[in-house]
Amino acid sequence: MHTRAELFWRFLKRRLNRSAEVDRKKKDSEGTESNEVSGKNDLDDPLIDEQRDFESEEQREEYTVKMKKQREERDRKLDLVLNRSGLNTRMQELLGNYVLMEQYYMSNSVQKAISMDTVEDGALTSSLLDDVFFIVRKCIRRSISSSSIDCICAMLNNGVTLLETEFFKCISAPIKSGYPSSGWTTEAYQTAQSAYTAVLQQSKVVTDTSINSIEKQRNSFLIGLNNMRSSVECICTLKLGLAEDFEKYLSQITPLESKKLENAVSQLDDFTKRLEQHANLGIVKLCDAAIRTKLKSRFLIDFWMWGKTGF
């Protein structure tokens, strides 16, 4: 729809410009005849024929500037008339309704993907990454078929906003909870205690629920950290795919429209930096809890043994 309307407007502009050129040539011919009779060269008239000889180069430049201003003013008025037309108003209404429907679909689909998030055995990331980025790219690519730059930018803004809110909240929650800092001595003590209790009750050794919860929290933290790092790669893949689609389907856009797309896509770069910062923060938490705690425990044991045995 938008493409056909653009073609119609281009056709209309060409016809109107052609009519203006015909009128200009008629006036030029009339002005030339009158100038031949009076012997006067009316250089102040902006409708002078471009092929006419001028007395100096300055006069030619003045004429060119006047013609350029006249054409810009005419194009501006024509664009204003077309933008206020009933066709353009109806198009904007349809595109607005489409953006709302697409946003509703994308939001509900992402929420469903979050609720169905699972981790397969041996997987380093959860199913959330593939589902969310597939939904976002599908919605943005569908908006490209409208050939409306404003519609595409609106869907890009909605997609980035959804990634920065719902998606980021989900993958950053395990990292905010932190990595359990219980050392190997605590685990050994809890295992021995549960084994002693099981022997007294003449039953099998049952793993303590606290140990299971700690292990579950560790796995959740590591999966969240991997999701954070893998999201950066998914965004790079999304940008490359969108760049190919823009080059393939939007080759006739103006420099101003191209600038709009660049500004909309640049939001993904800002989100990438945010993901990298939180991923680095998660790695610092992991090092503090998993490595430094064990090093500290090992140092205390060696120091105690050294104090007991002496030199």
Side-chain angles (χ1 to χ4, degrees), residues 64 154 172 219 296 301:
T64 304
S172 63
N219 293 334
K296 184 177 180 181
I301 293 174

Side-chain angles (χ1 to χ4, degrees), residues 2 21 63 159 180 199 225:
H2 187 83
E21 290 294 331
Y63 168 81
V199 169
L225 184 59

Side-chain angles (χ1 to χ4, degrees), residues 22 52 63-64 90 157 161 169 191 194 209 257 286 297 300 311:
V22 172
R52 187 171 181 176
Y63 168 81
T64 304
R90 184 58 178 167
N157 294 335
T161 301
K169 180 181 178 181
T191 303
S194 61
T209 56
E257 293 174 338
L286 178 62
S297 301
L300 291 176
F311 294 98

Side-chain angles (χ1 to χ4, degrees), residues 14 26 29 61 192 217 228 260 272 285 287 306:
R14 285 198 301 267
K26 289 182 179 179
S29 60
E61 292 179 358
Q217 187 178 356
M228 192 77 71
K260 287 183 179 180
T272 300
K285 289 184 178 181
C287 294
W306 175 79

Side-chain angles (χ1 to χ4, degrees), residues 17-35 45-50 52 63 67 74:
N17 289 331
R18 186 178 301 173
S19 300
E21 290 294 331
V22 172
D23 295 338
R24 182 180 65 82
K25 290 181 179 180
K26 289 182 179 179
K27 291 182 180 180
D28 288 345
S29 60
E30 294 176 358
T32 303
E33 293 177 357
S34 61
N35 289 335
D45 186 4
L47 298 176
I48 296 177
D49 190 1
E50 296 180 1
R52 187 171 181 176
Y63 168 81
M67 289 296 298
R74 184 176 59 195

Side-chain angles (χ1 to χ4, degrees), residues 130-191:
D130 294 335
D131 295 340
V132 169
F133 281 97
F134 173 78
I135 293 168
V136 172
R137 182 178 181 182
K138 182 179 180 181
C139 294
I140 296 175
R141 292 189 66 183
R142 192 157 45 217
S143 67
I144 296 176
S145 61
S146 67
S147 300
S148 173
I149 302 301
D150 294 333
C151 179
I152 298 172
C153 292
M155 288 308 306
L156 278 169
N157 294 335
N158 293 337
V160 174
T161 301
L162 197 60
L163 291 175
E164 291 179 342
T165 54
E166 299 294 334
F167 175 73
F168 183 79
K169 180 181 178 181
C170 181
I171 64 175
S172 63
I175 298 178
K176 290 182 179 179
S177 300
Y179 188 83
S181 59
S182 60
W184 63 273
T185 54
T186 305
E187 293 181 1
Y189 174 76
Q190 291 176 347
T191 303

